[in-house]
Amino acid sequence: MPACNTNCIEKPLSKGFKKLGLVVGKYPWVFLLLPLVLSGGLGVGFYFLGEREANDIEDQFTPTNGQAKTEREKVKTYFPHSDEFSQLRLYTEGTYASLIVFSSSNKDLLSKELFKKVIDLNNKVRSIRTELERSTYADLCANTNGKCASNAILDIVSNAATTIDYPFHRGVFLGSTIGGVTLKPNSKAIQSAEALRLFYFLKDAKTEMDRSENGAWLQAFIKTFSEEIPVDMISVSHFTSISREEEFERKFRDSIPLFSITYVLAINIAIASCIRWDCVRNKVWVALAGVLSAGLAVLTSFGLLLFCGMPFSMPVASAPFLILGIGVDDMFIMISCWQRTRVHDKVEDRMAETYKEAAVSITITTLTNVLAFYIGLLTPFRSVQSFCMYTGTAILFCYIYNITFFGACLALNGRRERSNKHWLTFRKVETPNEYKKSNACSVGGAYDPQTGAEVGMAIHVFFRKYYGPFLTNIWTKVFVVFLYAGYLAGSIYGCLQLEEGIQLKNLAPDESYVASYYDNEDRYFSSYGPFVMLVIKDENFQYWEKSARENLNVCLKEFESSDMVAKNMTISWLDSYEQYGASTGLDLSDKSVFMANLDKFLAVSGFYPDVVIHSRKILASRLFIPSINISTAIDEKNMLNFFRDTASTCGQNMTLSNPADLLVYHPAFIYFDQYAVIVSNTIQNIVVATAVMLVISLLLIPNPLCSLWVAFAIASVIVGVAGFMALWDVNLDSISMINLVICIGFSVDFSAHISYAFVSSGKKTPNEKAIDALDNLGYPIIQGAVSTVAGVVVLSAAKSYIFRTFFKIMFLVILFGAAHGLVFIPVFLTFFGVCGISSGVEDEKPSRTHVDTPGVQPMAINNTTQQLGQRPGQSQIINNTSFNRRLPCQPARFQTSANFSSHKYLEDLDCP
């Protein structure tokens, strides 16, 4: 029964590549030099690398369309920063330095002995000058009442004659500045404290000179505390508002030697896998050309995008490893196809056959890879967009250079082989038939006399005679099915354990002072989270009406009903105004009285930044709701969702006459926004990419059912990687999202090659097709997998979350992708025998009709095609009647064809 296929696209494409191979084989120097010239020209774009580096954490690792960014603009419009500094009221993180001081002797940090050391550290900070000694903290500090904003805890402890209450002491919140607190029994008074946190805020920079001065002082602060400060019985962690970006950049610089090691290792393994003992058939130079081709692709693509002004985010630095893996994978496929051509044919004919067999396969994987990465541009994370743009473009150039530059090198190496010249000395050597002595250095050029192709390697024999038959054994298939069921169960379980979001400390190296600061912050100050702004941005809200205030109080009670909100600690100007009215006998239910006395109250109470009044009308106001017990990414996600959901429903649930338009905001929400989009965007990218992969597979793989298996492999590998990365302590964040996009590409690479080889095989039974596919592509898949893993294995020792995550996910992708390509997919394909090219005589027994052809000895028909020079893995299905007469053409001119009649046979023999 004829196979149902889509050869209307695949066949013309294959013929087109055959012609291209013929041209490359005839004019290799043209295709060698043009890529070199192009790479040299576009590579100049690296001159702009410094200008294009994008290391701003907020810009690169938070959603561009995040809700919090919109809310920040509204808060900024309503409540711009005033000259009077207030940390509570900042709509940004501010410009600051911070110290966490903790006891290393398990003593009370508030004791006189230790607290004096804290005072000394505070004095040291205030004495820090910029490098040019032009500015001190006093010159740059943010002001309150004309003085530098001080750390209230220092004043409170220094002046406390009695006890200090916690978390509020006389209206001052101490929850974020005193940590490791032990309270006296049945009291709010502090008995002891393990840590203190001090903040040093600088005033807002209004000019470039101000920003420069602020930056210089912060640099001096970092330098001062990066040096060991000998202080007995206490330890210090330090941090500044520029620390994350600085350490992020430093991490990249420190990782460059690691990149060099991994790249060299991957190159050596790629070359070693192409070494042959035959001094003529050795493929060392070809392997070098394949690696160089991938390098040129990176140089060209990156240079082009840098020319165009594309931001270069740090995750892009890991892209060359991926490009190298994809490049050498395609190289191995082309080398494998080249080795199956007849060694005595002309180089251009061998190139034509190589391109005909290999180019379609690598075109499928390239299209799917490139589209997978370009689909990643839909994500709202700039770091992901940058990575996908650079990597997708590099893969495209890698493909172009593979079929031009690498093809040209393969043709030139083929000319050397045809002349039987030594791979290193380029001197002509004797063939094994001509040379009688066993000197490996002066003899080479062996080939299989039956097929006319290069002698197969031992690994091919292993796949053909041992592994393939073992895998297609019925009991092995049963075991593989159960193995896959276990894999799928473990993957699904892991997916259910997957956590979302990137911890900011993970953007710094492990040994960085930033990581130490965050660790101590989690240890001592996780009890109380941020004070979240609750903004009433409805100018029609009737603050003076009792029912409106009651409804607002009901709303606040809804917030306080959560375990994530501290009870009775909300900072509200309206509550204070009510208390002020009650103490002064004002009737605040009267609009005129309410508005007439409001300005005076705000001035004396310090709440004036929290109410926006214009033309005796309140345009907006804000309250502050304290959060508690926010220590993990899940806590942050739940808090964000709770506050937004409560604000949305709370205002709508008020009476129709007094609705309220509410907004909740805190600067940390900018980073928490990733939780709102990371899962949906990851799923969107994966679904869209998988759908595109399926369409491409349907168009280029000559069987729709096998195309579905490719899509299945993609989904299966993604589920596996997502599940096991969760079990390997990797969160779903913008970094791992990048790697899941990679997942799509590599899962396509392995499964598409095997599926295409299975479909293209002319073998009769599904088991034979599977063995044939493994024989042809088993070793190239292993080569690609091993070289790629070797290229990233050194990153497992990196002191950086980004590069360790890259290693972990790449390892899982390669492991599961290779397992699907070499184990699962071949077995599953055998369950569907229609998935391939079939013959109209598959059920007929082989004829014993003999062939009397010039140059060919009489033989049984089932052996004829091998004598005619059939390549290994390509079974020719020939109608018996086509051999009942003598063939006038020389068999040396036979060209392979998977399924043909006698007319096609004559056509392929170039007969008249």
Side-chain angles (χ1 to χ4, degrees):
M1 183 177 70
C4 175
N5 56 54
T6 53
N7 286 345
C8 57
I9 294 178
E10 187 265 341
K11 277 190 174 180
L13 192 62
S14 182
K15 289 182 179 180
F17 279 121
K18 183 177 181 179
K19 293 180 180 178
L20 176 62
L22 197 66
V23 175
V24 173
K26 285 184 177 179
Y27 310 103
W29 286 107
V30 175
F31 291 93
L32 178 74
L33 295 177
L34 284 179
L36 290 174
V37 173
L38 182 63
S39 298
L42 292 179
V44 179
F46 273 86
Y47 173 80
F48 301 101
L49 178 59
E51 299 176 18
R52 307 289 188 250
E53 285 185 0
N55 296 318
D56 185 281
I57 303 297
E58 178 186 315
D59 180 63
Q60 293 297 310
F61 294 96
T62 63
T64 55
N65 58 349
Q67 183 177 336
K69 292 182 178 178
T70 302
E71 293 165 346
R72 180 172 60 185
E73 291 304 310
K74 293 180 180 178
V75 172
K76 180 180 179 180
T77 301
Y78 288 128
F79 309 103
H81 289 166
S82 66
D83 293 335
E84 289 296 305
F85 174 79
S86 172
Q87 182 180 352
L88 177 70
R89 295 170 172 84
L90 290 174
Y91 58 79
T92 64
E93 288 186 313
T95 305
Y96 69 94
S98 178
L99 295 178
I100 293 179
V101 186
F102 54 99
S103 172
S104 57
S105 57
N106 296 323
K107 289 187 177 181
D108 179 15
L109 200 61
L110 300 181
S111 65
K112 289 185 178 180
E113 181 184 13
L114 295 187
F115 192 74
K116 184 179 182 302
K117 299 180 184 297
V118 176
I119 296 295
D120 291 340
L121 283 174
N122 178 64
N123 293 334
K124 185 176 186 65
V125 172
R126 288 175 171 269
S127 66
I128 293 175
R129 291 181 175 271
T130 57
E131 288 188 2
L132 299 179
E133 297 191 353
R134 291 184 298 184
S135 303
T136 63
Y137 176 68
D139 301 320
L140 304 172
C141 65
N143 292 319
T144 301
N145 297 323
K147 297 181 180 180
C148 284
S150 63
N151 287 283
I153 183 60
L154 300 182
D155 299 329
I156 291 172
V157 176
S158 298
N159 301 327
T162 56
T163 59
I164 302 174
D165 291 337
Y166 182 86
F168 277 98
H169 178 80
R170 298 179 182 179
V172 179
F173 181 69
L174 301 179
S176 61
T177 54
I178 303 182
V181 173
T182 300
L183 299 178
K184 293 179 180 179
N186 302 319
S187 171
K188 291 184 178 181
I190 297 176
Q191 179 174 306
S192 65
E194 297 179 45
L196 295 176
R197 179 161 55 177
L198 309 178
F199 288 98
Y200 301 90
F201 280 90
L202 307 184
K203 59 189 174 186
D204 286 341
K206 297 180 180 178
T207 66
E208 187 61 37
M209 182 175 292
D210 291 341
R211 281 189 287 273
S212 177
E213 282 293 297
N214 285 351
W217 189 87
L218 293 176
Q219 292 283 4
F221 175 91
I222 294 172
K223 182 178 179 182
T224 299
F225 286 94
S226 294
E227 301 169 356
E228 187 173 349
I229 301 176
V231 182
D232 295 335
M233 296 183 291
I234 65 172
S235 300
V236 182
S237 295
H238 63 287
F239 182 79
T240 73
S241 53
I242 65 171
S243 292
R244 283 191 297 262
E245 282 76 10
E246 287 227 329
E247 290 297 281
F248 193 56
E249 293 178 24
R250 183 175 71 84
K251 177 167 59 176
F252 172 69
R253 293 192 298 268
D254 292 347
S255 300
I256 291 177
L258 206 58
F259 288 159
S260 304
I261 295 173
T262 55
Y263 216 73
V264 169
L265 182 61
I267 290 170
N268 286 333
I269 289 181
I271 293 174
S273 67
C274 292
I275 291 177
R276 305 289 183 271
W277 294 117
D278 190 305
C279 65
V280 173
R281 307 297 175 204
N282 203 326
K283 300 293 189 293
V284 169
W285 297 119
V286 175
L288 275 173
V291 173
L292 178 60
S293 176
L296 291 175
V298 172
L299 180 67
T300 306
S301 58
F302 282 28
L304 173 63
L305 293 174
L306 289 170
F307 260 130
C308 297
M310 185 70 187
F312 186 96
S313 67
M314 185 177 171
V316 177
S318 58
F321 298 106
L322 179 61
I323 307 307
L324 177 62
I326 292 174
V328 298
D329 184 39
D330 291 345
M331 172 189 77
F332 294 141
I333 299 296
M334 292 188 68
I335 291 176
S336 178
C337 291
W338 167 269
Q339 290 173 324
R340 294 198 301 272
T341 59
R342 293 168 58 87
V343 299
H344 291 306
D345 284 351
K346 293 181 180 179
V347 170
E348 49 265 37
D349 292 334
R350 296 185 70 185
M351 289 296 295
E353 283 302 306
T354 298
Y355 273 55
K356 176 184 175 183
E357 297 298 327
V360 174
S361 184
I362 66 174
T363 298
I364 295 172
T365 57
T366 297
L367 280 176
T368 52
N369 274 314
V370 170
L371 288 175
F373 283 105
Y374 284 162
I375 288 169
L377 296 174
L378 300 175
T379 184
F381 295 93
R382 295 194 192 279
S383 58
V384 179
Q385 293 173 355
S386 178
F387 179 88
C388 289
M389 189 64 186
Y390 275 95
T391 308
T393 306
I395 292 173
L396 188 59
F397 274 100
C398 192
Y399 168 73
I400 294 172
Y401 284 1
N402 255 318
I403 61 177
T404 55
F405 177 82
F406 175 73
C409 294
L410 189 62
L412 291 173
N413 189 73
R415 291 183 179 183
R416 177 190 62 78
E417 290 184 10
R418 183 176 175 81
S419 301
N420 222 62
K421 293 183 178 180
H422 196 282
W423 73 273
L424 183 61
T425 64
F426 293 93
R427 298 184 64 179
K428 188 176 179 64
V429 298
E430 296 171 321
T431 65
N433 294 332
E434 299 170 334
Y435 196 73
K436 305 302 181 183
K437 296 180 181 180
S438 57
N439 186 340
C441 293
S442 57
V443 63
Y447 63 95
D448 188 334
Q450 276 195 326
T451 64
E454 294 184 24
V455 177
M457 298 179 66
I459 189 70
H460 292 289
V461 176
F462 166 77
F463 275 108
R464 183 171 62 253
K465 290 189 175 181
Y466 300 102
Y467 180 74
F470 169 77
L471 189 65
T472 53
N473 179 278
I474 183 63
W475 294 110
T476 305
K477 291 182 183 181
V478 172
F479 173 77
V480 168
V481 171
F482 279 103
L483 179 65
Y484 181 77
Y487 158 81
L488 194 60
S491 302
I492 294 174
Y493 170 77
C495 289
L496 297 176
Q497 311 302 313
L498 193 61
E499 295 185 5
E500 305 161 35
I502 188 170
Q503 297 290 331
L504 292 179
K505 75 173 183 179
N506 289 334
L507 296 176
D510 296 342
E511 79 287 356
S512 168
Y513 67 88
V514 171
S516 173
Y517 181 90
Y518 276 122
D519 287 340
N520 287 317
E521 184 179 53
D522 291 340
R523 179 181 178 185
Y524 295 112
F525 301 98
S526 60
S527 296
Y528 289 92
F531 270 77
V532 179
M533 292 184 194
L534 175 64
V535 179
I536 306 170
K537 54 188 181 73
D538 190 342
E539 61 185 49
N540 295 316
F541 186 77
Q542 311 296 313
Y543 294 89
W544 48 88
E545 289 190 4
K546 185 177 180 179
S547 60
R549 296 200 297 269
E550 288 176 349
N551 286 332
L552 184 57
N553 287 332
V554 169
C555 189
L556 293 176
K557 292 298 181 183
E558 287 189 34
F559 280 104
E560 293 182 0
S561 66
S562 170
D563 293 335
M564 294 179 288
V565 176
K567 309 300 184 287
N568 302 317
M569 289 175 53
T570 299
I571 299 175
S572 169
W573 69 270
L574 191 54
D575 283 348
S576 297
Y577 192 27
E578 286 188 272
Q579 295 172 12
Y580 173 81
S583 64
T584 56
L586 297 175
D587 181 12
L588 297 184
S589 297
D590 186 307
K591 178 180 179 180
S592 59
V593 174
F594 186 97
M595 296 303 300
N597 292 275
L598 182 56
D599 286 334
K600 179 182 177 181
F601 162 75
L602 295 175
V604 298
S605 65
F607 282 112
Y608 68 90
D610 300 329
V611 184
V612 181
I613 304 174
H614 181 70
S615 302
R616 297 188 60 79
K617 186 175 184 179
I618 301 177
L619 302 182
S621 70
R622 61 183 171 183
L623 317 176
F624 299 91
I625 303 173
S627 60
I628 56 173
N629 302 321
I630 310 300
S631 57
T632 67
I634 294 177
D635 294 335
E636 293 170 349
K637 173 188 175 181
N638 292 338
M639 182 189 75
L640 179 69
N641 292 335
F642 169 75
F643 270 89
R644 285 181 175 166
D645 292 343
T646 305
S648 176
T649 58
C650 191
Q652 300 302 320
N653 289 338
M654 291 185 178
T655 62
L656 294 177
S657 58
N658 293 297
D661 188 5
L662 304 180
L663 174 153
V664 288
Y665 173 77
H666 187 273
F669 285 6
I670 299 291
Y671 299 97
F672 295 173
D673 257 343
Q674 60 182 306
Y675 306 127
V677 300
I678 193 74
V679 173
S680 60
N681 272 270
T682 301
I683 294 174
Q684 169 190 294
N685 289 344
I686 290 174
V687 169
V688 173
T690 304
V692 172
M693 308 303 109
L694 177 59
V695 171
I696 293 174
S697 300
L698 285 170
L699 292 175
L700 297 180
I701 295 181
N703 189 285
L705 187 59
C706 286
S707 300
L708 292 175
W709 278 111
V710 174
F712 159 79
I714 296 171
S716 179
V717 172
I718 289 173
V719 170
V721 172
F724 281 87
M725 82 180 193
L727 301 177
W728 207 352
D729 298 325
V730 177
N731 288 359
L732 178 59
D733 52 41
S734 57
I735 303 299
S736 54
M737 180 194 285
I738 290 172
N739 290 279
L740 286 176
V741 174
I742 294 173
C743 217
I744 298 171
F746 271 96
S747 57
V748 167
D749 275 3
F750 295 128
S751 59
H753 287 320
I754 283 292
S755 297
Y756 184 77
F758 184 95
V759 173
S760 301
S761 173
K763 297 295 184 181
K764 294 182 179 181
T765 68
N767 283 351
E768 289 176 342
K769 291 177 184 292
I771 295 171
D772 191 32
L774 289 168
D775 177 29
N776 292 335
L777 292 176
Y779 184 49
I781 286 178
I782 290 178
Q783 285 177 303
V786 171
S787 61
T788 304
V789 169
V792 298
V793 70
V794 180
L795 296 181
S796 63
K799 297 179 180 180
S800 162
Y801 170 82
I802 289 180
F803 296 124
R804 279 200 309 274
T805 298
F806 183 77
F807 159 73
K808 288 179 179 180
I809 297 185
M810 281 297 296
F811 178 80
L812 292 174
V813 169
I814 298 301
L815 176 65
F816 295 152
H820 279 72
L822 296 176
V823 181
F824 298 138
I825 295 299
V827 168
F828 294 158
L829 285 173
T830 62
F831 297 151
F832 297 86
V834 296
C835 203
I837 299 172
S838 59
S839 170
V841 293
E842 282 182 0
D843 297 329
E844 299 179 14
K845 293 182 180 180
S847 170
R848 286 291 174 182
T849 305
H850 291 283
V851 181
D852 187 11
T853 304
V856 180
Q857 295 297 321
M859 69 193 84
I861 185 68
N862 57 329
N863 293 326
T864 303
T865 55
Q866 291 184 1
Q867 293 292 339
L868 290 177
Q870 174 194 324
R871 297 203 316 271
Q874 294 292 331
S875 177
Q876 310 302 330
I877 312 297
I878 308 174
N879 291 336
N880 293 344
T881 56
S882 65
F883 281 92
N884 289 334
R885 54 188 174 80
R886 298 171 62 88
L887 300 176
C889 303
Q890 294 298 323
R893 293 187 54 77
F894 176 76
Q895 302 291 326
T896 61
S897 179
N899 186 14
F900 51 83
S901 64
S902 59
H903 297 291
K904 173 64 179 174
Y905 180 71
L906 294 175
E907 177 186 346
D908 282 340
L909 290 174
D910 295 327
C911 296

